[in-house]
Amino acid sequence: MAGPAADAPLVPRGRALRDAIILRLLAVERFVKGLFVLAAGYGVIQFRDSRDAIERAFHEDIPLLKPFTDKIGWNLENSAVVETIRRVVEAQSDTLLWAGIALIVYGVLQLVEGAGLWLLKRWGEYFALVATSLGLPIEIYELTERVTAFRIGALVINVAAVVYLLVSKRLFGIRGGHKAYEAERHEMSLMEVEHAAEEPAAKHDAAPVRTAG
């Protein structure tokens, strides 16, 4: 494909590619959590009048997910979501209904956030930043109740995610905001395209010239 490097499409390379990988890893985590919460909300609503069935599902079925959640680094047993469900199981029928609805809404929000991150959309980054920030006070409060390595790790990861999104993606006008972010992204892509175009020429110039003997 010939033409000026400035007209080349923005292809994720180098730092842009690393950013895309990080965002999509976050998206996978949101998808998994969202599906799990949706299933929990549906189960709570469906079986809210059968407390025994809910307790049996909670104690027998949820542990079956542990091998899968361990693979993605999500400690299911110490999860705030599972802790919430554990408390919900002991609630009244009307409370269970509203708790189930709240879980479904939260699960949908997780999926929307995951979709925005996976598609590398600007609104997905804002969505993730706001949602993660709103969860930080809850995680801090949980640490005041009981300190565990998982809870400390989760808090550190989420704080790092917030800082990363704010600084690296220049959200809310930080470091020049969206315009500066797009300019930096375009400049980096342009430099990488030009560098890629120069490599074949350099190899050609370095190739030995054979003379007729």
Side-chain angles (χ1 to χ4, degrees):
M1 190 175 194
D7 296 335
L10 295 179
V11 179
R13 305 169 186 266
R15 178 181 166 187
L17 181 59
R18 289 193 297 273
D19 285 348
I21 291 173
I22 292 173
L23 292 179
R24 285 182 170 165
L25 287 174
L26 288 173
V28 170
E29 188 267 342
R30 299 301 193 267
F31 283 138
V32 172
K33 186 181 293 184
L35 291 173
F36 173 73
V37 173
L38 281 177
Y42 172 79
V44 168
I45 293 175
Q46 185 73 15
F47 302 106
R48 66 183 183 279
D49 294 325
S50 304
R51 192 178 305 276
D52 292 341
I54 297 178
E55 291 181 355
R56 186 166 56 254
F58 181 80
H59 294 294
E60 295 179 5
D61 295 342
I62 287 182
L64 298 177
L65 298 173
K66 192 173 184 304
F68 174 71
T69 56
D70 285 346
K71 290 183 179 180
I72 62 171
W74 184 22
N75 190 320
L76 192 63
E77 294 179 356
N78 292 325
S79 168
V81 173
V82 173
E83 190 67 29
T84 300
I85 297 172
R86 182 178 287 115
R87 294 173 183 174
V88 165
V89 167
E90 301 173 355
Q92 299 297 320
S93 179
D94 289 344
T95 305
L96 287 175
L97 174 61
W98 288 109
I101 292 173
L103 285 171
I104 289 176
V105 171
Y106 179 66
V108 170
L109 291 177
Q110 289 285 295
L111 294 181
V112 171
E113 181 182 343
L117 291 173
W118 184 266
L119 296 173
L120 308 180
K121 297 296 185 181
R122 188 75 172 174
W123 63 261
E125 296 167 359
Y126 273 105
F127 200 111
L129 175 64
V130 173
T132 305
S133 298
L134 290 176
L136 293 180
I138 298 175
E139 294 179 353
I140 294 173
Y141 172 74
E142 288 177 341
L143 280 174
T144 64
E145 290 187 326
R146 185 177 57 166
V147 177
T148 67
F150 172 76
R151 289 183 177 182
I152 294 174
L155 178 61
V156 170
I157 290 172
N158 285 330
V159 169
V162 168
V163 174
Y164 165 77
L165 288 170
L166 274 174
V167 177
S168 178
K169 299 301 180 179
R170 301 173 185 256
L171 302 181
F172 292 107
I174 290 179
R175 297 175 61 218
H178 181 63
K179 183 178 291 187
Y181 170 74
E182 287 297 329
E184 178 190 44
R185 182 165 169 259
H186 184 79
E187 181 180 358
M188 289 175 59
S189 179
L190 181 60
M191 291 174 61
E192 287 163 355
V193 169
E194 290 176 339
H195 180 69
E198 289 171 356
E199 284 184 351
K203 289 180 180 178
H204 176 74
D205 293 341
V209 179
R210 294 183 179 180
T211 57

